[in-house]
Amino acid sequence: MSISQAKEKMPKGLLAAATWAAERTPDSRNRAVDLYRAIAIMFVILGHWLLVAGVIRDGELEFVILLAEQRWTHYATWLFQVMPVFFFVGGFSNGLSWTSARKDPVKKSAWAASRLSRLLKPTVPVVLVWAIAGAVAHAMGVSVDLISSVSQAALVPVWFLAVYIIMTMAVPVTVAQWDRLGVASVGLLALGAILVDAIAFGADQGWLRWSNYAFVWLAVHQLGYWWGSAERPKPWALGFIALGVAWLYILIVQFGFPVAMVSVPGAEMSNTRPPTTAMLAVGAVQIGVILLLTDLAQAWLRNVRVWAWVIVFNQMIMSIYLWHMTALLIVVGIAAYMFGGAGLHEPPGTGLWWAVRPIWVVLFTLVLIPFVLVFVRFEAGSKTTADMRPGPWQAMLGAVMTCSGLVVMAMVGLGKENAIGVNWLAVGLVVLGVFVATRRFSRS
């Protein structure tokens, strides 16, 4: 059956198409990769929905980060900090994709644009919706500070996306290093991260820590290449777990690194912004667990119905991730301003607060679903052929532009002291950057 014939017979509808694809998935595919990606995104969302709380204090709506008020929640971040999982499974997928594409000159040239399409396009609607909302709010007299804080809360998830986009752009270089050095390429990056921490903290050179965005996350991403090429990765699982636990003990108990694996408001130090080698330690534990469970996951995913739902979830994963904080803000805002603060007067973290939190999670989910259904179309891969997509340099330029705008939004939100109250430059960088990264200017 040709590809064109297969496409003609694929049924319409997300679940029907996913079931059709699930029935035709080759046995050789590592389906666990997609399952781990889906589980990781659910943990991120659940972590945000549980640990970010709206509360009415002195008649005003405030958003409280539970990490800043209840220290025990710092340990919960060991479960909810799953960024290493994304980079690990991303390395696996990117490595296999690039290895296949580089065999064909046309596909090789278009690989970056093709890979970026599903990452970048879903950012456009969420940015434009919040930009329009900010401009309308400003016209109604809402302060720029409030526009900034609310939009930042909604768009803060994009910080991870910006980092991952850069990692994706580096794949041709990092795969080349893997081909040349193998596992040693992981060791060199991990050693670089350790040296950065040692110098930054030991010699009070905090500025150097920002380089660990590269050393730490590239090391984890590089391990994904190892997973894709290892013949028997499972025997390494316990070693990864033991190494990660030991390194966490050394960092936290011996050197006083934070227990929390995400940033805590008001804390002097963070393990994530920028990342410390604690992220490598947590990642080692998570990778060990992944390797231990992969055979079981693969067997479970032989069930066509289960595998079809995993496919569906992965087809809308970016939309779910990008809109989940918007859903939270809408629900809390409605409760505060339309229902007299119903459910928002109980202090966060009390027994009653935790007892009713599942109700809030259900409400967040119900509001999130329409956003996903409306905007999931932006996740569809490009329908253009490889020879019509931009080359790597144009795609890289577009990616850099997009990331520049996303980083600004994640750091300070969209508010800006100007005629419309919105940082139009950051918005323009994202929209134009996505266009540059995914549309070829000419075919010459």
Side-chain angles (χ1 to χ4, degrees):
M1 180 185 295
S2 68
I3 294 177
S4 60
Q5 290 173 326
K7 286 185 176 179
E8 289 176 3
K9 294 184 179 181
M10 180 181 291
K12 295 181 179 180
L14 276 175
L15 184 56
T19 302
W20 184 92
E23 292 171 345
R24 292 158 178 78
T25 301
D27 291 339
S28 59
R29 180 185 176 92
N30 189 336
R31 308 178 190 206
V33 170
D34 302 88
L35 176 65
Y36 293 141
R37 186 186 300 112
I39 292 174
I41 206 72
M42 287 191 288
F43 269 73
V44 171
I45 293 170
L46 186 60
H48 286 162
W49 284 355
L50 290 178
L51 299 177
V52 179
V55 61
I56 302 292
R57 289 177 175 169
D58 299 324
E60 297 290 334
L61 174 63
E62 297 180 10
F63 283 93
V64 173
I65 308 298
L66 214 58
L67 295 168
E69 303 205 352
Q70 295 194 326
R71 183 170 174 80
W72 71 266
T73 59
H74 294 195
Y75 293 95
T77 64
W78 293 30
L79 181 64
F80 292 114
Q81 175 51 276
V82 289
M83 290 301 105
V85 175
F86 283 107
F87 285 104
F88 182 60
V89 301
F92 179 95
S93 300
N94 286 334
L96 292 182
S97 176
W98 171 248
T99 299
S100 175
R102 64 182 176 178
K103 298 174 183 177
D104 183 318
V106 176
K107 292 181 179 179
K108 179 180 178 180
S109 176
W111 181 85
S114 176
R115 210 67 179 168
L116 286 172
S117 180
R118 285 197 62 191
L119 291 173
L120 296 182
K121 286 182 178 179
T123 65
V124 174
V126 70
V127 167
L128 288 180
V129 166
W130 274 100
I132 294 170
V136 171
H138 183 261
M140 296 173 64
V142 177
S143 71
V144 169
D145 288 342
L146 183 57
I147 294 172
S148 293
S149 61
V150 175
S151 61
Q152 182 193 15
L155 298 172
V156 72
V158 302
W159 78 264
F160 157 74
L161 182 60
V163 177
Y164 187 76
I165 288 169
I166 299 301
M167 296 294 117
T168 302
M169 288 290 88
V171 163
V173 175
T174 55
V175 168
Q177 292 306 306
W178 171 261
D179 291 341
R180 180 182 178 186
L181 301 174
V183 177
S185 64
V186 180
L188 290 173
L189 288 166
L191 179 60
I194 293 171
L195 288 174
V196 166
D197 274 1
I199 297 171
F201 295 115
D204 196 23
Q205 299 295 317
W207 61 271
L208 188 60
R209 291 188 57 205
W210 295 99
S211 63
N212 261 351
Y213 269 112
F215 284 117
V216 168
W217 295 129
L218 280 174
V220 180
H221 191 267
Q222 204 82 349
L223 270 173
Y225 300 158
W226 166 80
W227 191 24
S229 62
E231 294 183 3
R232 297 178 65 248
K234 189 174 181 179
W236 292 79
L238 294 180
F240 276 116
I241 294 173
L243 179 63
V245 171
W247 189 241
L248 281 172
Y249 174 83
I250 292 171
L251 291 178
I252 294 171
V253 178
Q254 301 299 322
F255 292 110
F257 277 50
V259 171
M261 293 299 143
V262 299
S263 297
V264 178
E268 295 182 0
M269 177 183 168
S270 168
N271 277 320
T272 55
R273 294 188 182 180
T276 68
T277 51
M279 288 295 98
L280 288 179
V282 168
V285 174
Q286 293 172 345
I287 289 168
V289 172
I290 282 174
L291 298 179
L292 280 177
L293 298 179
T294 293
D295 288 345
L296 290 174
Q298 287 282 81
W300 184 49
L301 294 170
R302 299 291 180 194
N303 184 305
V304 171
R305 181 174 299 179
V306 174
W307 175 227
W309 278 108
V310 172
I311 292 174
V312 168
F313 193 93
N314 274 272
Q315 288 176 337
M316 56 180 63
I317 198 166
M318 282 294 296
S319 299
I320 294 171
Y321 179 70
L322 290 173
W323 289 98
H324 77 276
M325 285 302 293
T326 297
L328 180 149
L329 292 168
I330 289 174
V331 171
V332 173
I334 291 174
Y337 298 112
M338 296 180 66
F339 291 93
L344 298 176
H345 293 283
E346 182 67 21
T350 64
L352 177 59
W353 185 90
W354 281 110
V356 301
R357 202 60 184 167
I359 299 175
W360 287 96
V361 171
V362 170
L363 293 174
F364 299 154
T365 303
L366 292 175
V367 172
L368 174 62
I369 289 172
F371 283 104
V372 174
L373 294 178
V374 169
F375 295 112
V376 69
R377 69 191 65 184
F378 288 87
E379 289 198 59
S382 175
K383 296 181 180 179
T384 57
T385 57
D387 64 325
M388 296 178 65
R389 296 171 189 156
W393 292 109
Q394 181 183 325
M396 186 175 296
L397 172 62
V400 170
M401 292 169 64
T402 304
C403 289
S404 299
L406 293 178
V407 168
V408 170
M409 296 174 193
M411 296 295 290
V412 298
L414 279 172
K416 185 75 172 179
E417 290 288 357
N418 56 29
I420 62 174
V422 171
N423 189 335
W424 59 267
L425 179 58
V427 175
L429 280 171
V430 171
V431 175
L432 183 59
V434 172
F435 180 81
V436 170
T438 58
R439 291 289 186 270
R440 187 168 183 171
F441 295 148
S442 68
R443 298 188 61 181
S444 57

